[in-house]
Amino acid sequence: MIYYQMKNQIEKHNSPATSPYRAKVKRGAFISLSLLLILLTACSNTNPEKKNGIEVKGKLSNAHGETIYLERMAPEGVTPVDTVTIDNNGEFTLKPVVKEIGFYRIKISDKNFATFIFAPNQKITITADATNLEATYTIEGSPDSKLFSEVSRTSNKNYRQRDSLQKAYQEFANLHQGEAVRIDSMNKVLEIPYLNLIKEQNTFLANFISKNSGSIASLAAVQQLSIEENPQIFIDLDKALYAKYPNSAYIKGFHNEVKSKTACAIGTAAPEIKYNTPDGKPLALSSLKGKVVLIDFWASWCGPCRAENPNVVRAYNAYKAKGFDIYSVSLDNNLEKWKMAILKDNLTWKSHVCDFKGWQSPVVMDYNFNGIPSNVLIDAKGNIIAKNLRGADLEKKLEEVFK
């Protein structure tokens, strides 16, 4: 996914060793979003067609004839597109070919650049201070670049504030080495504003994405959120962007990653299943809507599944009167062995289905599992509330649900 090659770098910043609150608080990575976007999973078509050319006119203060480089973000990093020398008036003009909307950067050096989103046939004007492009630029003629700037600058401000709290904590800890009580006291003092900054940033990102779900700039926002904690935000953004840019390489990569990462995420709707019962009649998962349902993936030939069945039976008997049911999906390929296992293991609920395709069954990909037994617990609305509840954990969760 596009946030995704930066993930290790972010996690490194988030490690307890670098946290101002030790293991209690994870530090948000203080990163330049311009640098972050360099590693986007992206590619642009470079077939030169003049009709897709854009014009970028720049006016830079404090310029002294430097060379301007235009670069395109690509899977392998950065691809040069064009160069031009700033004239005596601090002005430059670039006329690259841009066949699809994408991320580009204009730089004077590897440490002095700004990132933009260019689309075909745009006429763009940029003003900036040549000594610090990213912090000083303004842009007209590129709405997505303006939105990207909002994400970048708001995020970097928040990260700088977190860095300040980190530095304050580190300086205090260095000054009072060995004084655990005083250090813990400072930890508690700084923890509240630090966590508030994280909450503030996450709220900003969620609101930005909601308001600008049709802009590719939202990719720069969503990559700062956790897909595990915010699956619906990723799903909604993917839906909006894929509808608008179905042929974009940026969006295709994002779409595939979201589909993979959010398959059966907690809080998402369980994919429909409709296979045949042992007597050959189709039975849909949605027919159980209104009940809390355990979708149980198993097979008669699976030893661990058969060993787990007594726990599933016990949970069913304990909670069936309260609105709990089970929808068993078998990966069997033999009807008689499947029916015999249902009978022998006392799987007395009525919802048993199988398509006799084994591991080739579409349900394996739809529910993103690679081993059985596996299960998913859904609420009365059909939304996933837990996964892979084994042994006593299933009854504990049901007790929580039905209390």
Side-chain angles (χ1 to χ4, degrees), residues 5-236:
Q5 297 181 37
M6 282 298 294
K7 191 171 186 294
N8 290 337
Q9 186 172 336
I10 291 172
E11 288 175 345
K12 180 180 178 181
H13 281 285
N14 282 345
S15 67
T18 59
S19 168
Y21 317 116
R22 285 176 265 177
K24 287 186 178 181
V25 179
K26 290 185 177 183
R27 175 184 183 269
F30 177 28
I31 51 175
S32 159
L33 292 193
S34 296
L35 284 169
L36 194 65
L37 262 295
I38 289 175
L39 297 181
L40 290 180
T41 303
C43 58
S44 296
N45 194 323
T46 58
N47 184 25
E49 293 186 12
K50 294 298 183 181
K51 65 179 181 179
N52 290 320
I54 68 170
E55 181 179 79
V56 182
K57 288 190 173 183
K59 174 72 174 180
L60 305 183
S61 60
N62 297 315
H64 304 287
E66 297 92 341
T67 298
I68 288 285
Y69 302 89
L70 177 66
E71 299 174 327
R72 186 187 74 250
M73 308 308 171
E76 66 274 15
V78 180
T79 303
V81 175
D82 200 0
T83 61
V84 68
T85 301
I86 304 171
D87 68 19
N88 293 334
N89 297 317
E91 298 178 352
F92 67 88
T93 300
L94 293 162
K95 293 185 178 181
V97 172
V98 174
K99 285 199 64 181
E100 67 172 357
I101 191 168
F103 291 90
Y104 291 78
R105 76 174 185 178
I106 290 176
K107 78 173 189 179
I108 291 176
S109 71
D110 287 339
K111 294 183 179 180
N112 184 11
F113 61 87
T115 302
F116 306 98
I117 300 172
F118 294 156
N121 306 313
Q122 289 181 331
K123 291 186 179 296
I124 297 162
T125 58
I126 296 172
T127 62
D129 186 325
T131 63
N132 191 346
L133 296 178
E134 183 181 6
T136 63
Y137 79 81
T138 62
I139 185 168
E140 299 295 334
S142 174
D144 290 291
S145 289
K146 282 193 170 185
L147 291 173
F148 177 81
S149 175
E150 180 184 349
V151 174
S152 177
R153 289 171 177 174
T154 301
S155 299
N156 279 328
K157 178 181 177 181
N158 186 281
Y159 293 140
R160 284 195 295 270
Q161 290 172 322
R162 290 189 227 175
D163 272 0
S164 295
L165 291 175
Q166 282 189 306
K167 290 175 182 177
Y169 172 83
Q170 193 60 55
E171 289 174 2
F172 185 88
N174 290 339
L175 185 63
H176 299 281
Q177 292 183 25
E179 301 178 54
V181 174
R182 295 189 69 177
I183 292 174
D184 285 343
S185 177
M186 177 59 73
N187 176 25
K188 293 176 182 178
V189 169
L190 295 179
E191 184 174 13
I192 293 175
Y194 190 89
L195 291 176
N196 284 340
L197 283 170
I198 293 175
K199 182 178 179 180
E200 177 185 305
Q201 174 68 358
N202 289 344
T203 298
F204 160 74
L205 294 170
N207 290 338
F208 178 92
I209 293 166
S210 178
K211 292 177 183 177
N212 303 286
S213 60
S215 172
I216 197 172
S218 288
L219 293 177
V222 79
Q223 64 185 334
Q224 298 178 66
L225 295 174
S226 164
I227 193 169
E228 289 79 12
E229 296 175 7
N230 305 277
Q232 200 59 49
I233 291 177
F234 281 79
I235 291 168
D236 290 345

